[in-house]
Amino acid sequence: MTGGPKDGEVDEEFLHSPFIRKQGNIYKPNNKDMDNDSVNEKTMEDVHTKEIDLVNRDPKHINDDVVKVEFEDVIAEPAGTYSFDGVWKASFTTFTVTKYWCYRLLTALVGIPLAIIWGIFFAILSFLHIWAVVPCVKSYLIEIHCVSRVYSICVHTFCDPLFEAMGKCFSSIRVRMTKEV
């Protein structure tokens, strides 16, 4: 006897694995009520691969009041002190093109490193808020609830009788005001 199944025999012990539940996998149940994946699983949208708008780059208008600086906002000639028309046109073009290309150059050189820094900063901020601040606040609220019960018992035990007695003592005092003319 070798202990294994003989020819033509099926070992009943290993037909059903002990790790598979009869009602199905806990993640994808086989029963009819829970089989429809479209009902049970919500469609998640990945925020990292969403389309970005290359035309409207400030859809929430967070920079409306910040950097709308045009040539006319910086350089203006009062009446009577005009430069040559060619100088004025060249100044306008120089200002506009310089501002445009300096901004582009700075964003190309510094924009991506700053985006990395701000991404790390807001990741740390989110991490601290989720894993430190909210649990600390919840812990504080739980602990302060116990303290508030003890405080409430002390107030009801010591202060309520005192103020009730003082109220009964002073309840018989009547104040009468008369106005003399």
Side-chain angles (χ1 to χ4, degrees):
M1 223 188 212
T2 60
K6 295 183 179 168
D7 291 341
E9 289 182 13
V10 178
D11 193 0
E12 288 293 321
E13 184 179 355
F14 296 108
L15 277 181
H16 302 288
S17 172
F19 300 108
I20 297 176
R21 299 174 36 202
K22 288 186 180 181
Q23 63 269 30
N25 186 336
I26 59 172
Y27 300 108
K28 301 254 188 218
N30 291 330
N31 55 4
K32 298 294 181 197
D33 294 335
M34 299 177 74
D35 194 31
N36 190 357
D37 289 342
S38 63
V39 173
N40 293 332
E41 295 178 9
K42 294 180 181 177
T43 305
M44 298 283 294
E45 192 175 303
D46 188 9
V47 295
H48 305 296
T49 59
K50 71 177 184 175
E51 293 287 326
I52 56 173
D53 189 1
L54 294 177
V55 176
N56 183 12
R57 296 187 183 190
D58 190 9
K60 295 184 180 180
H61 306 290
I62 61 173
N63 289 319
D64 278 352
D65 56 341
V66 180
V67 282
K68 289 185 177 179
V69 178
E70 298 296 328
F71 180 74
E72 296 84 13
D73 298 330
V74 178
I75 301 172
E77 292 181 333
T81 55
Y82 289 158
S83 62
F84 295 114
D85 290 343
V87 172
W88 186 252
K89 288 179 186 177
S91 299
F92 172 79
T93 305
T94 304
F95 176 86
T96 307
V97 170
T98 303
K99 184 182 87 162
Y100 176 79
W101 283 107
C102 280
Y103 178 78
R104 286 221 157 170
L105 182 65
L106 285 171
T107 55
L109 295 175
V110 184
I112 292 176
L114 282 177
I116 291 170
I117 290 169
W118 285 116
I120 291 169
F121 173 78
F122 283 108
I124 291 170
L125 189 67
S126 299
F127 173 81
L128 289 175
H129 184 74
I130 291 167
W131 292 100
V133 174
V134 172
C136 284
V137 169
K138 288 291 184 182
S139 172
Y140 173 77
L141 291 175
I142 290 169
E143 292 163 6
I144 203 69
H145 183 69
C146 296
V147 171
S148 71
R149 282 189 169 178
V150 171
Y151 179 75
S152 175
I153 290 170
C154 289
V155 166
H156 289 303
T157 304
F158 300 112
C159 296
D160 282 357
L162 174 69
F163 291 126
E164 212 172 291
M166 288 174 55
K168 286 184 180 180
C169 289
F170 293 125
S171 66
S172 62
I173 296 176
R174 303 276 183 237
V175 177
R176 186 177 203 184
M177 298 201 43
T178 59
K179 189 175 185 182
E180 292 184 27
V181 181

